[in-house]
Amino acid sequence: ELQCSGVDADTAFASLDRLADVAPLPEVWRVSGTAAAGDALSPEALFLAMRELNASDIHLFPGARPRFRVDNRICDEELFEPVSTEQITGLVRQIAPAAAWTEFVRHKQCSFNYHQAGIAYARVSAFIKTRVPHCTIRFLPEKIPTFEDLRIPEMTMAKMGNLHTGLIL
């Protein structure tokens, strides 16, 4: 346990990095305290960032900035500061239906649907791994893209839509 009173989170993490260079340390860090807690994560801000970046997913885990999946690549954007355990837990508590929150508390994992009105729907998976919360949000736009948006020939899709046997992949 490393206690840093009166030090901001960036300075604390830099100290941990220096310590890790000279001593074997565990893979996961837990940072707690009022300075580490940070402001509550805004679901709307996360969804707007996902839409702006055209991201399919966002991954949250303590000590790292939110990671966006764009075109199947993980991007470490500097739109947000690193998030804390408290911020992730607070976000899950804020957006989870009561039954999903109860499942998260009892079983250390849950999955649920969420709708950020005017922006998107999402499939949320929250879980505890190595005693810290993680959260993955799959972005599902409110407006279903057209064949034209997806650059799929409409005539081809119409032909496939009229098939009545077989499996189309």
Side-chain angles (χ1 to χ4, degrees), residues 5-144:
S5 52
V7 177
D8 62 70
D10 289 336
T11 303
F13 280 119
S15 298
L16 291 173
D17 287 341
R18 285 194 301 278
L19 181 60
D21 288 339
V22 296
L25 298 171
E27 178 182 336
V28 176
W29 295 98
R30 288 169 210 52
V31 179
S32 60
T34 55
D39 295 331
L41 286 174
S42 162
E44 182 177 17
L46 293 171
F47 274 73
L48 289 171
M50 290 176 76
R51 183 171 69 188
E52 172 126 355
L53 295 168
N54 200 26
S56 61
D57 303 273
I58 188 168
H59 304 279
L60 304 170
F61 52 94
R65 296 178 191 278
R67 303 265 168 92
F68 297 88
R69 182 177 301 275
V70 179
D71 295 329
N72 213 26
R73 298 176 111 177
I74 298 294
C75 301
D76 190 13
E77 297 289 331
E78 295 191 10
L79 300 172
F80 297 90
E81 293 298 316
V83 297
S84 67
T85 296
E86 292 85 354
Q87 287 175 303
I88 296 168
T89 303
L91 176 70
V92 173
R93 177 69 185 111
Q94 178 184 354
I95 67 175
W101 175 251
T102 300
E103 181 182 349
F104 182 74
V105 171
R106 285 188 185 152
H107 302 290
K108 308 299 183 223
Q109 64 181 4
C110 69
S111 291
F112 56 91
N113 296 323
Y114 177 74
H115 180 212
Q116 182 64 48
I119 303 174
Y121 293 93
R123 184 71 185 155
V124 181
S125 177
F127 54 94
I128 302 292
K129 179 180 176 187
T130 58
R131 299 191 301 194
V132 296
H134 292 66
C135 183
T136 298
I137 301 171
R138 168 63 52 102
F139 187 84
L140 305 165
E142 281 187 328
K143 179 184 174 271
I144 298 172

